[in-house]
Amino acid sequence: MSGPDPAVAAARRAVREALADVPTDGLVLVACSGGTDSLALAAATAFVASRAGYRAGAVVVDHALQAGSAEVARRAGEACEGLGLAPVRVVRVDVREAAGVAARDGWGGPEASARRARYAALEDQARDLGAAAVLLGHTLDDQAETVLLGLARGSGARSLAGMAPRRDLLRRPLLGLTREQTARACAALGLEPWHDPTNTPAGPEDSGAPLRSRVRHHVLPVLEDVLGPGVRAALARSADQLREDADALDALADALLTRARAGGDARGLDLDCAVLAQAPTAVRRRALRAALVAAGAPSGSVHRVHVEAVDALVQDWRGQGPVAVPGGGAVRRRYGRLTSDG
């Protein structure tokens, strides 16, 4: 008797490895849109959970941004129930309200707002149900697109490190699988995924389509035509390597902040410039960015220009005045320490 299709087996193996530490009485939730990747993940999770002894459910988030979204969400929920997942919850979120808050606070555009609203809903459901983990269906292709977008935006190492396989409750078992594999898994299992029309832009100039979709359909194919078919995998490998570097730098920056805060006010930004000045530039600037965010500056709005301006108060002190930072505050140097106003 032959085994499952190789793509089905690969998805199940990835889920099994990602959930190796889940207790036998634990609950795992799959974030399922009904699309190819998340439906393949839901099927693999249902199979693995039934044999490993833990419970597996699903959360379907309706962003209410397209006509008929409620029906799409309902069908995704039914598909998850058909796979044996329970409980299955369909949650509607108000992305437009979240986008208004984001625009006010400088936290990004509509895509970022939808992502934040989705993650907030998933985390709420996980807390309510006492879930041990929430699984997301991001694939190697998604990782490659994330890295490419970060490169185009001039982002730092943390952004170029892409999506982490695990962050708190969130886990991404399929980062080592391609979109072709998830599509094959669905076909092999007789599953009919929903295809988001916004994922197929009319052309590179189709400004109405999400930027990630335009990168997927028009930028990456050009890179593969010129550089070869291994571009996606190479970008994903780069993300893995940069994540290791970013984790190490974050640890060094955290330790630097601890030393620089000694004797100061731990509730806000209050740092010893002499301690900061002794650190390598990469570590010091990473620490300064973390300190600004901890003091209330919106993370998505703190850019390199802000960090460099604050760093100049440490490394190039000439008696200059305060530096304005996102969120309405300002950083100044007083008696050898950086402090914040606002």
Side-chain angles (χ1 to χ4, degrees):
M1 181 177 178
S2 61
D5 182 275
V8 173
R12 291 173 177 174
R13 182 169 56 252
V15 169
R16 191 178 299 113
E17 292 173 354
L19 299 178
D21 62 334
V22 173
T24 54
D25 60 346
L27 171 66
V28 173
L29 296 175
V30 178
C32 186
S33 66
T36 302
D37 302 334
S38 63
L39 199 56
L41 176 61
T45 304
F47 179 89
V48 171
S50 66
R51 284 151 180 78
Y54 47 77
R55 296 170 293 139
V59 179
V60 180
V61 179
D62 175 12
H63 297 89
L65 292 175
Q66 300 178 32
S69 66
E71 177 65 13
V72 171
R74 184 189 65 80
R75 290 180 181 176
E78 289 180 349
C80 290
E81 291 172 347
L83 291 168
L85 298 177
V88 175
R89 291 189 173 180
V90 177
V91 182
R92 186 181 179 93
V93 297
D94 192 338
V95 175
R96 290 183 175 86
E97 180 180 342
V101 173
R104 182 194 68 202
D105 294 339
W107 288 346
E111 292 178 55
S113 298
R115 182 171 58 252
R116 277 191 297 275
R118 178 169 63 253
Y119 285 167
L122 293 173
E123 290 169 358
D124 285 346
Q125 293 301 313
R127 282 193 299 269
D128 186 51
L129 293 168
V134 177
L135 306 187
L136 306 176
H138 297 115
T139 65
L140 181 147
D141 297 73
D142 295 306
Q143 187 75 297
E145 292 156 12
T146 298
V147 175
L148 194 57
L149 285 166
L151 283 169
R153 291 165 176 158
S155 301
R158 176 53 68 189
S159 292
L160 297 180
M163 296 173 286
R166 180 181 298 198
R167 181 175 64 80
D168 301 327
L169 283 176
L170 304 179
R171 304 187 186 188
R172 298 178 172 90
L174 304 186
L175 283 180
L177 274 68
T178 64
R179 196 167 288 129
E180 287 81 4
Q181 286 177 292
T182 59
R184 179 172 172 176
C186 285
L189 295 170
L191 302 174
E192 297 184 8
W194 169 68
H195 297 287
D196 186 348
T198 66
N199 283 337
T200 309
E205 71 289 343
D206 182 5
S207 60
L211 181 58
R212 181 180 290 271
S213 296
R214 286 179 278 161
V215 168
R216 177 180 307 165
H217 290 280
H218 301 293
V219 177
L220 273 169
V222 171
L223 290 177
E224 291 193 331
D225 284 344
V226 176
L227 301 176
V231 169
R232 288 176 169 84
L235 288 169
R237 286 196 303 273
S238 295
D240 291 339
Q241 295 168 20
L242 284 167
R243 193 176 310 111
E244 294 172 357
D245 294 347
D247 288 345
L249 286 170
D250 281 347
L252 292 171
D254 287 344
L256 175 61
L257 279 179
T258 298
R259 297 195 303 273
R261 284 182 174 133
D265 183 357
R267 294 170 299 177
L269 191 147
D270 187 357
L271 306 173
D272 188 328
C273 293
V275 173
L276 292 170
Q278 295 171 5
T281 300
V283 176
R284 183 179 62 255
R285 289 183 174 176
R286 187 172 290 253
L288 289 172
R289 186 187 189 283
L292 291 175
V293 173
S299 176
S301 298
V302 180
H303 302 307
R304 183 175 177 86
V305 63
H306 304 120
V307 177
E308 288 179 337
V310 173
D311 191 34
L313 297 177
V314 177
Q315 288 294 97
D316 190 22
W317 174 242
R318 294 172 280 98
Q320 60 265 45
V323 173
V325 295
V331 178
R332 67 177 69 245
R333 178 166 173 159
R334 291 192 184 102
Y335 306 110
R337 298 189 74 90
L338 291 184
T339 60
S340 60
D341 300 328

